[in-house]
Amino acid sequence: MSPVAGDGPAGNGRRWLLLGAGLSLLALEAEYDVAAAAWISSVFLLRYARLRPPWPGLLSIWGVTVGGAIVWLCLTATVASPTMVGSFLVLACLLALPFALDRILVPRLRPASLLLSTLVFPLARAGAELLFTVITGFGNYGSLAATQHANLALLQ
């Protein structure tokens, strides 16, 4: 079987980053949210993070979260005050943290417990979202749950 373009050492999975970044723009708690995009974007970004060396991969994912925050600011016509910009930089760091924990912990946990290794990312993501709401008081901004309001079956 031939290797997939972009997955080899030269490509480093850039297409996964682009797919994840594009889908994450459809999950910004804006007018055009697509509920499934919030979940699928993380799958592509996880794949990218696992293909890249840790620091370059995590910096790219941090860039995706910063880019999403900038797009959200533009879409909502929110004034970019220093407090708001600082808060979004904290959010970007917190949302990149689950990818870092997945990259570090999953290879170590997988031999011991396959089930536990699959829970690292979702637990870290939920914890990061909760921590952001507690630190900033912005309510549910940055939470994947806020993008699911139109998905009645999931809400029930």
Side-chain angles (χ1 to χ4, degrees), residues 33-141:
D33 279 341
V34 177
W39 304 102
I40 297 170
S41 66
S42 291
V43 172
F44 291 130
L45 293 174
L46 268 173
R47 177 69 178 147
Y48 174 78
R50 289 179 180 180
L51 287 173
R52 295 281 294 164
W55 283 111
L58 294 174
L59 285 175
S60 297
I61 289 172
W62 181 80
V64 167
T65 58
V66 168
I70 291 169
V71 169
W72 182 84
L73 283 170
C74 293
L75 289 174
T76 59
T78 303
V79 177
S81 68
T83 302
M84 183 71 75
V85 171
S87 297
F88 281 123
L89 290 177
V90 168
L91 175 64
C93 292
L94 286 173
L95 293 182
L97 184 61
F99 293 95
L101 291 174
D102 179 84
R103 183 79 163 85
I104 294 166
L105 296 177
V106 166
R108 294 181 177 141
L109 290 173
R110 190 174 290 138
S113 173
L114 186 59
L115 177 63
L116 188 58
S117 70
T118 62
L119 297 176
V120 170
F121 181 78
L123 289 172
R125 175 68 192 227
E129 291 175 3
L130 176 65
L131 186 58
F132 180 72
T133 61
V134 169
I135 290 172
T136 64
F138 276 8
N140 64 355
Y141 179 77

Side-chain angles (χ1 to χ4, degrees), residues 1-8 11 15-16:
M1 181 177 266
S2 65
V4 178
D7 276 349
R15 69 181 175 155
W16 300 119

